[in-house]
Amino acid sequence: MLKRVAGILPSQLQTRCEEMKIDPSEYVMEVKDGADEIVVKSTSKSSPQVVCNIHLTSPVMRQTPAPVVAPKPIETAAAAVESGIEQSAVTATDEKEDCKTDDSATAAQVVAVMPSKNPPDMLERKKCCQLLASLRHVKWFQLRASGLQSCVIVIRLMKDFCTRVPTWRPLSSWAIELLVQTVISSSIEQVAPYMGMLLVFKAISSGILLEDGPGLLDPCERERSDVVDYLSLQQREDITSSAQHALRLMAFGSTFEVLGLDEPVIEVNNNNGQQSASPQARKRPLEQEEDSNKKAKIN
């Protein structure tokens, strides 16, 4: 199937790329052995080198076939009762013979209902289910998160924070998107990016990811499942502790440390008219206050 799709792609690119003025001959299609993907590489020297991986999946792979249950064989005692013969009249030899015939009949029925083997070139079922889940996540993001104010900005900030802090790296992108959307959508008022990050750290600090916490329910799955069920107990505690530390930093005016920025520098004018850099100069120097008080008394 992958080879057939790879053979059709050049002609489709020829028809689709006429308006975009793209030369399909600049792209090479490759199907690697043992890999369920098509690799599209750009061979143009003028344009940047681009590599695109195309995966194939189908909703049929998500469907679980209903198990075919073989009919239960009639027991010897039940047959004896239905025929009006007492159960005690059945001998041990008859029971052994009946059990043999029943086992052979059951084995024949099981062999008859066994499904045929999958073809050797069939796509991997687990990988196809993961791709289908990714498609559901993209549709959910477009419907719920993309139109929410400051949600996309907070998601980008949180993903950057997770890449910089090793403790947060186990969190997946889907868990971050779902967590930010859930927190921001629960707010009644409009949320700014700063307040959005603050609310996210508050939610994690409260223990939402801990083992006895509510967790994050996946809205894209039929069954009840937790998005962060793959995290270990130690990872949950470390992320909660780190969120509490980040929350204290933001509460005491050190948001630049959470964002990974340098400490801001505030320029203040001295009495000589020169400017000096002072990161904590939020008030006027004491000498300027005394001079201003003297002028006020003279006036």
Side-chain angles (χ1 to χ4, degrees), residues 27-92:
Y27 296 91
V28 178
M29 315 292 173
E30 295 181 0
V31 180
K32 297 181 179 180
D33 297 335
D36 298 336
E37 62 182 6
I38 302 174
V39 181
V40 183
K41 296 183 179 180
S42 174
T43 59
S44 176
K45 297 181 180 180
S46 58
S47 59
Q49 299 297 323
V50 179
V51 178
C52 178
N53 297 332
I54 302 175
H55 300 269
L56 300 183
T57 184
S58 173
V60 181
M61 304 298 291
R62 193 185 181 195
Q63 299 176 0
T64 55
V68 181
V69 181
K72 188 177 181 180
I74 302 175
E75 297 179 357
T76 306
V81 172
E82 291 179 359
S83 61
I85 302 175
E86 295 181 356
Q87 184 176 359
S88 59
V90 182
T91 60

Side-chain angles (χ1 to χ4, degrees), residues 243-271:
Q244 294 172 354
H245 177 66
L247 184 62
R248 287 192 293 268
L249 291 176
M250 296 184 68
F252 288 101
S254 299
T255 309
F256 60 92
E257 295 185 16
V258 179
L259 298 178
L261 303 176
D262 296 332
E263 189 174 3
V265 177
I266 302 176
E267 295 183 351
V268 180
N269 293 328
N270 293 332
N271 295 332

Side-chain angles (χ1 to χ4, degrees), residues 222-240:
R222 298 172 184 173
E223 300 178 356
R224 186 183 180 89
S225 61
D226 191 0
V227 178
V228 293
D229 57 352
Y230 60 91
L231 293 177
S232 63
L233 180 60
Q234 186 63 42
Q235 290 175 341
R236 294 170 185 266
E237 293 179 354
D238 292 342
I239 293 175
T240 304

